[in-house]
Amino acid sequence: MSLVTLSVFAQSRKITGTVIGADDGQPIPGVSVKVAGSNVGTQTKVDGKFAITLPSGANSLDVSFIGYATQHVNITVASNYNIKLVSNTKQLTEVVVTDSYGVQAKKSYTGAASTVSADALNDKPFSTPIDALQGQVPGLNISQNTGQPGANIQVRLRGVGSISADSNPLYVVDGMIINAGDLSRLNTAGATNVLSGINEDDIETITVLKDASATAIYGSRASNGVIIITTKRGKAGNAQVNFDTEVGKSVNLPLPVGGRPMGGTDYANTFLQGLTNAGVTGAGQTPYITSYGLAGPYNDWYPLVTKQGQQQQYNVSVRGGSETSHVFASAGYFKQEASVIGSDLKRITGLLNVDQTISKSFTFSTGLNISNVQQNDPSNGGAFASPVLSAFFLRPQQQAYASDGTLNTSRATNTDFSSIYNPLYMVLNDKKFDSETRVLGNATMKWNIWDQLKYTTYFSGDLVELEEQQFNNPIMGDGRTAGGRGYDYYTRYFNYLFRNQLDYRYDFSKDNDFYVEASLGYEAQKSDGYFISANSNGYPATQPLLTASVNASTPTLGNSSFSGYTFDAFYTRGSINYKNKYSLSGSFRREGSSRFGSDVSFGNFYSIGAAWNVDEESFFKNQSILSSAKLRTSYGSVGNAGIGNYVAQPTAGYGAVYGGGVGQNFNTIGNTALTWESSKPLEFGADFGVLKDRLSFSVDYYIRKIDNLIQNVPISRTTGFSTVTENIGAMKNQGEEITIKASPIKSKDFQWYTSFNISFNKNTVTKLVNDASFLNGSFQVAEGQDFQTWYARGWAGVDPSNGDPLWYTDATKTATTNNYNKATPFAQYQADPKVFGGWTNTFSYKGFSISGDIYYNFGNYINDSWAFYLTDGTNYTFNKYAYDLNAWTTPGQITDVPKYVAGGGTAANGATYSSSSSFSSRFLYKGDYIRLKNLTVGYDFKGLSLLKKYGISKLYLYGRGTNLLTKTYDSRLPFDPEVGVNSTSNLEIPQVRTFTVGINLGL
């Protein structure tokens, strides 16, 4: 027998086997199976099986896969092996992608960052990936002010970061700092969001960097945090093909009862009641009844401009590779028709990421992300051509269709579409279209000079082309007086970035118990914008209408312009780690920008952080309550460069005409001493777990002081200008963030995972120009107050004896008046929430699963900017909210709606009914709400033998609903409480409720 065994090992032979997970018994594809001590290897197939030929003399295998402990298998006389890999949770949490400049071990990471994985992003029915982050990241406040597909999303991290500069985070996609936000130049509801060109299914992770230790490496643009989007890449193993599709419908969220437009009969009765209260009675009302068609017929405008929306998406991807080559490729199609007429979005995306190991010393990676987004956008909520605004303003008596069945364009009194237009006609005959094409590419070369020293060079280019077309027809609407108006805008941004970096690691001990890491780099970025604008008037009134400007008789504008910026930076960072117990880190970046004055174009930004992993101490093992514990802190300085490209530069232009010739004039005064706003965040954090980390907690406390605020300061008008931009002012945000994650039930067949986060933030303005407060719209900006503090007269209700509107005379609220002009405005309430967060639960039983995301928001007040027209009788020829049906009519009646007087008017006792709908705290509502954001029910056909027979590795069917339930806390609220960071309703396209079904298929 010994001779036989020796004979077997003396010659090559074929070994087969299957690799499964020790926890669930499921086969693991893509596992590396290597002959120990050699380069001979293979990978497991989709069913976990492998076959390998052992060279002569080989007697063992090394079996390894990410997230599992490496298994060493001794080869005996057997030819088939069943190998179980044990999950290595320490390895899974060992590395965290922190930023564009490298990775850091989680144990040694001193910063505050939150990562959202692909599972929380894929297959969501949203047109932008940022939508899916709502409620997922503590401290990240995401709110939408419109239901328009692809519209810009408003994001604030740890409070408002500036008074006049940008308060949005910095966005980074696969290492590239991009131009984010709304790049459009026409005033439509779309507010085109550059991020809408990124397919959620292509994203591997989104990481949100919060504190100085995490963000300072980005220097002058990191004051408001950094959001890093990393796309999927290939993995070693057989090619995995995934296909998913999702289809469904959407409907507008229901309007609160009091916020619905009045029906025909109710409006007619209210109209006549208003005339009576204004002294017009009996036969005097007859001309009004005839002129305004109060006797009917009626139509209901809101159902006419809304509809059932449709949406669908299809995605296919291929992922795989060998030991030296990894490839991920995908294509996607997404289409969404909004629940308001004239609004839709279509997106086509493609992604290719390739990683190639050239040799032991060199690796090369490249990526290409291409997208085209096309949108039809109605006018925004503040425009009279907006279908949503029209549905609220138009009287039910104004008929959409004429007696012959054609769309009504009459200017007769009883229809009168001269100021508020027939939205059905406008959608058919106006054009508001934009097409955004984006090509985002990158290339990375890494050179391992030796084991401790690595060099990386990176280049990325981001090309965005935006074509916007708007046509206002010559028959009705904004183009009527000009015989039709046409606008053609072309916008192009080319943004490119170079980065070169050296990374060094030195181990003081061979067992990696004590080491230092250091990086040194140079980064340069340039963005060039090119803009063409062409406007024309005078279009032929043919049918169909000719919308191209070549058909116009009178060109009114034709120009082009350029705009750009540059950033130039040297940076370094380092860290030291001792036995995963104690970690210190620091970073420094010196950066210059063309946006700031020549005297101060460079600034210094830094951070220092520390972490103590208490669970690595010997004394920690003497207790049994905690399973892990970590304390961390950081401090630093980061900047805000979110201003115009030439604000600091004194500029002159030649757009003027002087004496019949070309004239020049100064158009900005500039300020060569203008520099960055500076934020100095201080952070204290703790992470700890119990029950083997099945229950874990993260607690963060921060103070974010911001100074050198950029503000306009008054100057003598003898300079030719009224203000100059200077660095004066300060504010701070401070708050707490708490995250709780748990696996309360974790059995073989049934699991329950839950995650809850809550964020508290308090904003305070600490310094202003000359210490003087000022008004910013309806907000009062004053020292000691929240930046967004409402400044309004205090509403005191309705006098039950006579229906007069009442206001408090001043902030003491000790006396009231029925004269609006005798009431003094005062600061009250705030627009940004005091508390917000999310709660996610996932339940799974065998193949069944159900998951839900809840988002909540408390502590802010929201404003109705159109209440002046839609409440009370001042503007009585417009339709009204239904809650005006509660208007005072009888002495002794208790109501919060004053007597309805057509045209306003002043009562004998001086009551100013014409001002009852003017801005006051009457139209500030609690913005508190809790919303069931997502609910998904699905079944995973894993382990089904029939699927394996046909090579199907995954089949998952699901149904999903979004915005299913909303709980509000103000009975007076006439609209949905999610209205954006300014907390103002502008009659934009409303939020929608969606119902979709989908399938995920893997081969």
Side-chain angles (χ1 to χ4, degrees), residues 548-833:
S549 61
V550 70
N551 300 300
S553 61
T554 310
T556 59
L557 175 67
N559 63 34
S560 64
S561 60
F562 304 86
S563 181
Y565 65 80
T566 59
F567 285 87
D568 187 60
F570 288 93
Y571 61 88
T572 182
R573 71 176 178 186
S575 63
I576 184 169
N577 180 279
Y578 178 68
K579 290 189 175 182
N580 274 340
K581 293 181 182 180
Y582 318 112
S583 300
L584 287 175
S585 69
S587 67
F588 176 80
R589 182 175 178 119
R590 179 163 177 79
E591 185 163 35
S593 174
S594 62
R595 284 181 170 171
F596 293 96
S598 56
D599 299 340
V600 285
S601 57
F602 276 82
N604 300 321
F605 309 94
Y606 62 89
S607 72
I608 184 170
W612 176 26
N613 291 294
V614 185
D615 51 15
E616 295 293 337
E617 298 286 358
S618 57
F619 64 78
F620 189 82
K621 299 177 177 58
N622 297 328
Q623 54 83 42
S624 57
I625 299 176
L626 298 178
S627 52
S628 63
K630 179 179 180 178
L631 303 176
R632 47 189 167 78
T633 185
S634 67
Y635 178 76
S637 174
V638 287
N640 186 350
I643 63 172
N645 291 334
Y646 306 110
V647 173
Q649 312 301 327
T651 60
Y654 287 91
V657 177
Y658 182 77
V662 177
Q664 181 199 46
N665 65 339
F666 291 101
N667 45 37
T668 61
I669 190 172
N671 179 2
T672 57
L674 189 69
T675 188
W676 286 274
E677 293 186 351
S678 178
S679 175
K680 294 181 172 60
L682 173 64
E683 168 98 8
F684 297 98
D687 310 307
F688 51 94
V690 298
L691 301 175
K692 297 183 179 180
D693 284 359
R694 284 181 60 181
L695 177 62
S696 62
F697 302 84
S698 291
V699 180
D700 292 86
Y701 172 76
Y702 61 88
I703 300 177
R704 180 184 168 205
K705 293 184 178 181
I706 307 163
D707 56 19
N708 284 332
L709 290 177
I710 296 174
Q711 299 184 69
N712 290 325
V713 179
I715 58 173
S716 171
R717 290 182 178 270
T718 59
T719 62
F721 299 91
S722 59
T723 62
V724 63
T725 305
E726 294 184 0
N727 294 104
I728 298 178
M731 66 164 58
K732 70 175 180 178
N733 290 284
Q734 65 184 79
E736 303 83 31
E737 299 165 2
I738 301 172
T739 302
I740 304 172
K741 297 181 179 180
S743 299
I745 301 176
K746 192 175 182 181
S747 64
K748 180 180 179 181
D749 293 331
F750 182 62
Q751 295 87 35
W752 171 25
Y753 170 79
T754 183
S755 176
F756 173 83
N757 69 78
I758 186 169
S759 301
F760 305 85
N761 184 76
K762 179 176 175 58
N763 174 273
T764 307
V765 176
T766 57
K767 178 67 177 177
L768 292 174
V769 178
N770 298 323
D771 300 324
S773 63
F774 63 91
L775 295 182
N776 181 17
S778 297
F779 299 122
Q780 183 192 54
V781 182
E783 294 178 3
Q785 292 181 179
D786 186 285
F787 166 61
Q788 292 183 302
T789 298
W790 295 108
Y791 188 71
R793 291 167 172 84
W795 176 249
V798 175
D799 189 335
S801 65
N802 55 21
D804 285 357
L806 298 175
W807 298 271
Y808 292 110
T809 56
D810 52 38
T812 63
K813 297 184 179 182
T814 55
T816 62
T817 178
N818 61 6
N819 190 326
Y820 182 82
N821 296 320
K822 292 183 178 179
T824 302
F826 56 92
Q828 49 189 314
Y829 311 129
Q830 65 184 58
D832 54 317

Side-chain angles (χ1 to χ4, degrees), residues 491-504:
T491 302
R492 184 186 69 208
Y493 286 95
F494 182 52
N495 176 20
Y496 53 97
L497 181 148
F498 286 96
R499 183 184 303 124
N500 291 279
Q501 181 173 311
L502 281 169
D503 297 290
Y504 178 74

Side-chain angles (χ1 to χ4, degrees), residues 291-353:
S291 297
Y292 292 98
L294 298 180
Y298 311 130
N299 56 208
D300 193 348
W301 280 106
Y302 193 75
L304 287 174
V305 305
T306 59
K307 61 186 178 69
Q308 179 177 286
Q310 306 287 336
Q311 68 180 61
Q312 53 186 306
Q313 64 171 317
Y314 308 92
N315 298 291
V316 61
S317 66
V318 180
R319 191 176 205 170
S322 64
E323 288 292 323
T324 57
S325 300
H326 301 162
V327 177
F328 179 87
S330 74
Y333 175 82
F334 179 91
K335 184 177 182 181
Q336 189 174 49
E337 296 179 9
S339 54
V340 169
I341 58 174
S343 172
D344 59 60
L345 176 144
K346 181 172 68 175
R347 178 183 70 199
I348 300 173
T349 60
L351 176 67
L352 176 64
N353 283 332

Side-chain angles (χ1 to χ4, degrees), residues 828-856:
Q828 49 189 314
Y829 311 129
Q830 65 184 58
D832 54 317
K834 298 178 181 179
V835 182
F836 61 91
W839 185 25
T840 296
N841 285 278
T842 300
F843 302 90
S844 58
Y845 176 71
K846 295 186 177 180
F848 291 97
S849 64
I850 180 171
S851 63
D853 301 324
I854 292 175
Y855 180 75
Y856 60 90

Side-chain angles (χ1 to χ4, degrees), residues 45 102 154-155 216 220 230 239 258 280 356 397 422 424 456 527 541 693 726 733 785 809 860 959 991:
K45 298 180 179 179
Q154 299 174 314
V155 180
S220 66
T230 303
V280 180
Q356 177 68 46
Q397 291 78 8
N422 185 341
L424 305 186
T456 303
S527 177
D693 284 359
E726 294 184 0
N733 290 284
Q785 292 181 179
T809 56
N860 64 315
Q991 303 282 343

Side-chain angles (χ1 to χ4, degrees), residues 207-274:
T207 301
V208 180
L209 308 181
K210 304 177 185 178
D211 70 333
S213 187
T215 63
I217 192 67
Y218 287 94
S220 66
R221 291 175 282 180
S223 177
N224 298 308
V226 182
I227 295 181
I228 299 173
I229 299 175
T230 303
T231 59
K232 295 177 181 177
R233 310 198 73 86
K235 294 181 179 180
N238 295 328
Q240 300 176 19
V241 180
N242 288 284
F243 172 78
D244 64 75
T245 181
E246 183 179 45
V247 296
K249 64 179 183 179
S250 61
V251 295
N252 286 336
L253 292 180
L255 293 171
V257 174
R260 298 171 185 171
M262 285 188 185
T265 302
D266 286 336
Y267 176 79
N269 292 337
T270 302
F271 192 108
L272 296 175
Q273 177 188 342

